[in-house]
Amino acid sequence: MDRDAPILFFDSGVGGLSVVGPARALLPTARFVYAADSAGFPYGTQTEAEIAARVPALLGRLVERYRPRLVVIACNTASTIALSVVRAALDVPVVGTVPAIKPAALASKSRVIGVLGTDATVRQPYVDRLSTEFASDCIVLRHGSAELVVLAEAKLRGGPIAQHDVTRALAGLFDQDGGDRMDTIVLACTHFPLLAEQLAAAASHPMLFVDGSAGIARRIGFLTQGQDFPRHPIPGTAVFTRVDDAVRALGPALAERGFAETVAL
């Protein structure tokens, strides 16, 4: 394994940066490539067929260009729909991102948990299976919010976030039957941890928010155990399928997270 071979992160936008942080803490000298399908953003409002066709094709091009040691689909929507197809198509290990229902169920005292994701994620049979396997004794409430995805992107561009917009999105869980007893919420979209402060402020009572980023970092560490890495940190590359003013405005946030270069796919 070439010590400079990168770990490739993929998302529809910049939500996957919430996964990059724990991974970089674990592997501080690894070279990272972050790829965002800005031309296809957002995935949460697309059909399953569109995502299942688009994601493997894009990852095939990215793997051919960057020859990564590992691919991380840092997107719940893409993972719940296209993970098996991507793994069959690529000859490198692929780590997916799925809703953290198991740790949420383990943590909940009230046995009412929420799953907050995109519309496409929360309707997936995969979420049904996770709920049945790990939260069968819980009430599992679900709500999809495209608005929170857009707000997270705006926050990373340095724009203002109206707290009432976050509160309105979270009300989609609290207003359901049993929502007043909910004590744990799964952030089933990698964009949503970027709004952690706003979500905590929007909760009507103390709430535990759970996401899968730490588990993904541990999986990356396990799959790359014993591999050779650079001795010193290497600046990362951010790749976008469309580079426009919105992407250029992300420059400071990307640089803060170690991505010094932005290029088009």
Side-chain angles (χ1 to χ4, degrees):
M1 177 67 65
D2 181 352
R3 68 168 52 182
D4 291 337
I7 297 172
L8 173 66
F9 295 81
F10 176 84
D11 185 22
S12 63
V14 293
L17 292 174
S18 67
V19 178
V20 167
R24 194 179 293 281
L26 187 67
L27 299 170
T29 66
R31 180 186 169 212
F32 286 177
V33 172
Y34 186 88
D37 185 12
S38 46
F41 175 86
Y43 279 177
T45 58
Q46 295 189 29
T47 67
E48 283 81 351
E50 289 170 331
I51 294 169
R54 187 174 183 87
V55 171
L58 283 173
L59 280 171
R61 291 170 60 192
L62 287 161
V63 167
E64 184 177 2
R65 175 183 290 191
Y66 291 102
R67 302 296 179 186
R69 68 179 74 209
L70 180 75
V71 170
V72 181
I73 303 181
C75 174
N76 284 269
T77 301
S79 295
T80 55
I81 294 171
L83 181 58
S84 60
V85 178
V86 170
R87 283 177 169 160
L90 301 181
D91 59 356
V92 297
V94 180
V95 176
T97 305
V98 297
I101 291 174
K102 181 179 180 180
L106 290 172
S108 175
K109 305 299 184 184
S110 70
R111 312 316 292 156
V112 180
I113 65 177
V115 178
L116 185 65
T118 66
D119 291 322
T121 294
V122 299
R123 68 173 179 252
Q124 292 305 311
Y126 197 98
V127 177
D128 296 333
R129 293 195 294 271
L130 290 174
S131 299
T132 299
E133 185 172 358
F134 299 115
S136 60
D137 64 334
C138 295
I139 296 173
V140 180
L141 308 178
R142 307 186 198 185
H143 179 64
S145 174
E147 185 177 20
L148 286 178
V149 177
V150 175
L151 290 174
E153 295 265 330
K155 181 180 179 180
L156 259 65
R157 291 195 296 269
I161 303 297
Q163 183 62 39
H164 63 82
D165 291 335
V166 181
T167 301
R168 183 175 60 249
L170 205 56
L173 285 174
F174 285 115
D175 291 348
Q176 295 183 44
D177 289 342
D180 58 329
R181 295 188 289 116
M182 181 172 58
D183 65 353
T184 308
I185 295 177
V186 179
L187 299 181
C189 172
T190 54
H191 280 81
F192 295 173
L194 301 175
L195 296 170
E197 293 180 6
Q198 290 81 8
L199 287 166
S204 59
H205 54 271
M207 189 66 52
L208 175 65
F209 292 94
V210 179
D211 68 81
S213 59
I216 294 168
R218 290 192 295 271
R219 185 63 178 166
I220 293 170
F222 175 78
L223 291 173
T224 59
Q225 189 173 8
Q227 294 183 9
D228 197 16
F229 287 96
R231 295 180 180 177
H232 304 285
I234 297 177
T237 300
V239 188
F240 291 82
T241 53
R242 179 176 62 208
V243 177
D244 53 16
D245 288 344
V247 168
R248 285 185 279 271
L250 293 166
L254 291 167
E256 182 181 346
R257 290 162 174 80
F259 297 97
E261 178 187 33
T262 299
V263 301
L265 178 61

